[in-house]
Amino acid sequence: MTEQHSPGFERGTDGPKVIVVGVDGSDSSLRAAAYAGGLARRQHALLAVVYVQPVLAAGAAMGVPVAGTTDEIAEELVAQIREAAERSKGIFDVRWEFHTFPGDPYNGLVKAADELKADAVVVGASEQAGHRIVGSVAIRLVKSGRFPVTVVP
């Protein structure tokens, strides 16, 4: 009789248990949140909704009240998500949390995925024309190869 050892856990091999979705209030990020919510429901995973608060050092240096503005955006996003969750209560039960991380969108989402031990990251496709040349957050996340990434149009 041979003894079998179970292999150690590997991120992403058992199906996602934590799904991070980046939201910024744009239409594509809200579509990404809806998609990620459905995925979390089907996989019985935790949905971690992440808003990356931009750090605008130049604006702050000039006296622009940056922190208050980004806090207002975060609060508005939480309200929108709670409202959508209440509307779908009983139809779709999804465990979800809202997190904010400071920084640029790419580094903020990477930090969120690492800290939350995400098995998958979902983002909306960039709606900015310049990103076709420079590269979008979604492309940078895919190229990092650190976790599965789904880009929602």
Side-chain angles (χ1 to χ4, degrees):
M1 184 157 103
T2 60
E3 190 176 320
Q4 290 185 343
H5 297 281
S6 68
F9 174 78
E10 279 187 53
R11 183 181 282 187
T13 58
D14 238 6
K17 296 298 176 209
V18 177
I19 299 168
V20 165
V21 61
V23 295
D24 62 7
S26 67
D27 288 343
S28 67
S29 78
L30 297 176
R31 284 191 299 272
Y35 179 88
L39 183 60
R41 179 182 52 81
R42 289 186 298 278
Q43 296 292 326
H44 305 287
L46 172 67
L47 178 63
V49 180
V50 174
Y51 169 62
V52 180
Q53 289 183 292
V55 177
L56 303 173
M62 293 162 60
V64 178
V66 176
T69 303
T70 60
D71 287 345
E72 288 173 21
I73 294 169
E75 289 170 16
E76 187 177 312
L77 288 170
V78 170
Q80 287 178 2
I81 294 162
R82 282 200 176 113
E83 183 182 312
E86 284 301 314
R87 279 196 312 261
S88 65
K89 204 166 204 131
I91 302 170
F92 303 115
D93 285 328
V94 175
R95 292 180 305 125
W96 65 278
E97 302 171 347
F98 184 81
H99 300 270
T100 59
F101 286 82
D104 67 274
Y106 170 77
N107 287 312
L109 286 172
V110 168
K111 183 177 180 182
D114 285 343
E115 287 187 17
L116 300 170
K117 296 181 177 32
D119 298 299
V121 175
V122 179
V123 293
S126 175
E127 295 178 343
Q128 296 180 6
H131 284 167
R132 292 189 190 111
I133 300 165
V134 177
S136 67
V137 171
I139 290 170
R140 291 177 65 196
L141 289 169
V142 170
K143 285 183 175 182
S144 77
R146 296 177 65 171
F147 28 70
V149 177
T150 300
V151 182
V152 178

